[in-house]
Amino acid sequence: MDDKLNTVSTVLDRTAERLRTGRHAAERVWRTGFGGLDPVIGGGLRSGGLCLLAGPQGLGKTTFALQLARNVVREGRPVIYFSYEHEPEDLIEKLVALEAGELDDTDRARLTTIRESFDAAGSGTIEERLEAVSAGNEALARVRKYADLLYVHRSTGTATDLAEIRNVVDTTHRLTGLSPMVIVDYLQKVLVPGGPGEEAERTTTVVEGLKDLAIDTSVPVLAIVAADKLATRGGTRMRINHLRGSSALAYEADLVLILNDKYDIVARHHLTYNLGNAERFRNWVVLSVEKNRFGRDGVELEFQKRFDQGRFVAEGRRVDEQLVDERVFTE
């Protein structure tokens, strides 16, 4: 029988075995490590599911995805990060900054300081270069503990297509004996060889391919998605209809998470009657669960930015203030 064709009886037997051995939840659910988010989305990302992460430029999509990857590998599960936008060393610097920031959340542990240490002239080990950074070597030691489980693939829009992504996933599975979570940064950059000229058609091909990958390999796939030009304007709240490329993005995805700057999307009266809120709100992002096949949607959580340390504060909370779809600036 074709291995893609199974009777319901066969599927029931496999499910019963997972439940009997207690492996079902552990295998199927991948916790994000962000407080408040996992309970809303059914415990975490799910094997076979496609999650899209969107938001305006500069609002921390890569930071969020990399922090999520780090949270997963700390639990002993491999992650492959397909990076179309960043050099692997840039991601290493962000990981060290993230760890240093959690060890010392003052202004002494900063991403810029770590980058300066890496870029400084002269020779020296990483440990020697990080001696001047608060909690630098402790942070590096943390990264080394999970470094063998976090794979960074230097992807390019001229060479890395869906076939290459699948090949890397299969190879990693063979090497580790474990199914790896897949992160694609970002979806619109995935090569479609000989594909259509229209971005909408290319996007449809890629998102359908990533969904097939998730199902066929039984891994969670998280893909960062670009926004259209309208959603990148100040004062505009990005929603699911602003995903750039194709309506297939919203249709194929099991989970859609969208980041917005809190200052841009709170109702005007929160700013008019309390001027002190303006600066405070700029330090937070709102993460909206726009679509969720495994739990609730329409949920809005907020997370504090610590971009100076390459991270978000992991403990989120529900948004108390009234939010709007769009606010017109009169400044």
Side-chain angles (χ1 to χ4, degrees):
M1 181 181 292
D2 188 332
D3 60 3
K4 294 182 180 179
L5 181 65
N6 292 281
T7 66
V8 172
S9 176
T10 301
V11 178
L12 279 171
D13 288 344
R14 291 175 183 169
T15 303
E17 175 63 15
R18 286 201 302 269
L19 291 171
R20 185 186 66 80
T21 59
R23 294 183 291 115
H24 182 73
E27 290 183 351
R28 299 287 298 170
V29 178
W30 302 58
R31 294 190 299 172
T32 70
F34 284 96
L37 178 59
D38 286 332
V40 170
I41 62 174
L45 303 183
R46 302 182 73 86
S47 297
L50 173 62
C51 172
L52 301 182
L53 174 65
Q57 185 176 1
L59 208 55
K61 298 184 294 295
T62 294
T63 298
F64 189 92
L66 187 61
Q67 190 168 345
L68 190 154
R70 170 271 210 162
N71 292 343
V72 169
V73 295
R74 285 207 307 185
E75 294 197 346
R77 310 182 82 165
V79 175
I80 308 172
Y81 198 105
F82 291 90
S83 178
Y84 288 82
E85 290 281 277
H86 304 277
E87 291 289 337
E89 189 168 301
D90 293 338
L91 300 180
I92 296 298
E93 292 168 356
K94 293 192 79 167
L95 285 170
V96 174
L98 157 62
E99 300 292 355
E102 290 193 351
L103 289 163
D104 180 359
D105 65 358
T106 68
D107 290 337
R108 296 181 301 169
R110 299 178 65 86
L111 177 57
T112 53
T113 306
I114 289 166
R115 282 179 174 158
E116 289 169 0
S117 299
F118 275 66
D119 294 340
S123 60
T125 66
I126 298 177
E127 287 80 3
E128 289 170 344
R129 289 171 177 264
L130 289 175
E131 283 180 356
V133 178
S134 178
N137 277 309
E138 292 175 79
L140 180 62
R142 281 189 172 190
V143 174
R144 290 192 188 280
K145 286 182 179 180
Y146 54 72
D148 287 342
L149 287 175
L150 182 52
Y151 295 79
V152 179
H153 184 276
R154 180 63 184 98
S155 310
T156 67
T158 57
T160 312
D161 59 5
L162 288 165
E164 172 67 5
I165 291 173
R166 185 178 286 259
N167 179 60
V168 172
V169 171
D170 291 342
T171 300
T172 304
H173 192 182
R174 287 196 301 271
L175 289 173
T176 65
L178 300 169
S179 297
M181 178 181 174
V182 174
I183 296 179
V184 178
D185 185 3
Y186 63 94
L187 183 145
Q188 281 86 356
K189 284 267 190 172
V190 177
L191 173 66
V192 180
E198 293 293 326
E199 184 181 52
E201 295 179 56
R202 295 197 307 272
T203 302
T204 298
T205 299
V206 174
V207 73
E208 289 177 349
L210 291 177
K211 182 60 182 293
D212 288 344
L213 172 69
I215 293 173
D216 292 346
T217 60
S218 193
V219 300
V221 176
L222 183 147
I224 294 176
V225 183
D228 63 24
K229 291 183 179 179
L230 176 64
T232 62
R233 299 184 309 179
T236 300
R237 180 176 183 180
M238 185 175 175
R239 305 305 299 258
I240 198 168
N241 57 294
H242 291 133
L243 303 183
R244 199 181 87 202
S246 167
S247 59
L249 289 167
Y251 178 77
E252 294 288 345
D254 300 289
L255 179 66
V256 178
L257 306 175
I258 298 185
L259 293 165
N260 279 282
D261 195 301
K262 185 174 181 179
Y263 175 79
D264 282 341
I265 65 172
V266 293
R268 189 177 184 82
H269 64 267
H270 293 299
L271 301 174
T272 302
Y273 301 110
N274 189 338
L275 298 179
N277 280 338
E279 191 59 33
R280 184 166 60 86
F281 289 162
R282 291 183 192 275
N283 293 324
W284 294 77
V285 298
V286 174
L287 179 70
S288 301
V289 181
E290 295 273 315
K291 177 184 179 181
N292 185 9
R293 285 187 175 143
F294 307 119
R296 289 168 288 167
D297 57 18
V299 178
E300 289 149 344
L301 305 169
E302 61 182 17
F303 293 88
Q304 187 178 3
K305 304 174 189 175
R306 286 305 307 266
F307 292 170
D308 59 321
Q309 298 178 335
R311 68 185 180 102
F312 289 95
V313 176
E315 290 305 315
R317 64 192 186 194
R318 292 296 184 99
V319 178
D320 290 330
E321 294 80 9
Q322 179 184 355
L323 302 178
V324 296
D325 285 337
E326 185 168 324
R327 178 162 59 82
V328 179
F329 281 82
T330 58
E331 300 170 348

